[in-house]
Amino acid sequence: MTNPIILAVDTTAPQASYALYAGESELARRVTMADTPHSHTFFSEIESLLKQANLTINQITALAAVTGPGSFTGLRVALAAVQGFAQTLQVPAWGLTTLDAVALAASVTGRVLVLLEAGRGECFIGLRDIATDSSFAQPCADAVGSLDTVLPDFLPAFLIDDLHITGSPALCELAVAQNAALQYHPTENPPLAPVIAAYVARAMQLGIAAERHPLRAFYLRPPYANLKAAA
């Protein structure tokens, strides 16, 4: 069986990333910290990525994108483009949340607690169970709120010896200071497009369908513009 050619993108944060994989082998990646909006650079970055790998868009056989939470505008740009590519090329498209991708980026197995900055003094929090084959399950719903408010709801039921923590260094350090049993795995803001591309390659080998990871925006709270309008 020929390895799938996977194009993966992440534009949910100021650091955008783009990756091309043949199966689990990386062909090319681009990581940018642009001063201009991702909507202005997205297609030129895809073009540069394809040139780097000496491929054309018609050779892509699977797509993936990080679906949020994250920048509302950046997120919508990537999802609309990837959905358009998928429809035109008639190939499957996968969506993994930011918390999924950060948990996978820790490169550990077992239960992983993810803490990410959410702004306004709040954090996004979620749990993932990572298997040895890198498939994962989500034991409970993700949440958003102040660290002091949301962390106690996650730890009593799930605090076990192999619970790992990853994500925002500042938040992780606060959590570890309060719960010494946590095993902290700094990820240093890794590019997420390569992480989800590699995951999709493994998932396809395991027969996990794209429908399990729908390509739709994932929000834990309404976009800021909606909150302002409701005020």
Side-chain angles (χ1 to χ4, degrees), residues 7-99:
L7 168 62
V9 302
D10 171 36
T11 57
T12 61
Q15 175 183 274
S17 58
Y18 309 81
L20 276 169
Y21 271 57
E24 294 187 60
S25 298
E26 183 175 302
L27 301 177
R29 74 164 68 184
R30 291 183 66 80
V31 181
T32 65
M33 185 69 77
D35 295 331
T36 55
H38 296 318
S39 58
H40 295 178
T41 59
F42 182 88
F43 290 102
S44 63
E45 289 295 338
I46 295 294
E47 182 179 3
S48 297
L49 184 76
L50 290 167
K51 285 182 178 178
Q52 184 178 336
N54 196 28
L55 294 174
T56 67
I57 192 66
N58 291 327
Q59 291 173 275
I60 302 302
T61 55
L63 296 150
V66 178
T67 61
S71 162
F72 176 75
T73 303
L75 175 60
R76 300 306 298 182
V77 167
L79 292 185
V82 171
Q83 287 168 345
F85 288 150
Q87 291 172 0
T88 300
L89 300 172
Q90 297 185 337
V91 299
W94 305 64
L96 278 80
T97 72
T98 312
L99 288 99

Side-chain angles (χ1 to χ4, degrees), residues 114-174:
V114 182
L115 290 171
L116 300 175
E117 297 284 355
R120 305 174 220 165
E122 294 183 331
C123 67
F124 299 119
I125 185 169
L127 284 166
R128 299 295 185 272
D129 289 335
I130 312 295
T132 55
D133 61 8
S134 297
S135 62
F136 67 90
Q138 183 176 337
C140 63
D142 299 330
V144 61
S146 67
L147 182 64
D148 291 342
T149 299
V150 296
L151 187 59
D153 292 337
F154 279 72
L155 291 185
F158 300 106
L159 187 55
I160 54 179
D161 290 341
D162 66 345
L163 179 62
H164 307 275
I165 183 169
T166 191
S168 162
L171 291 170
C172 291
E173 288 167 8
L174 284 173

Side-chain angles (χ1 to χ4, degrees), residues 173-194:
E173 288 167 8
L174 284 173
V176 170
Q178 299 173 23
N179 303 272
L182 292 171
Q183 300 179 51
Y184 177 30
H185 293 268
T187 54
E188 299 181 358
N189 195 26
L192 297 182

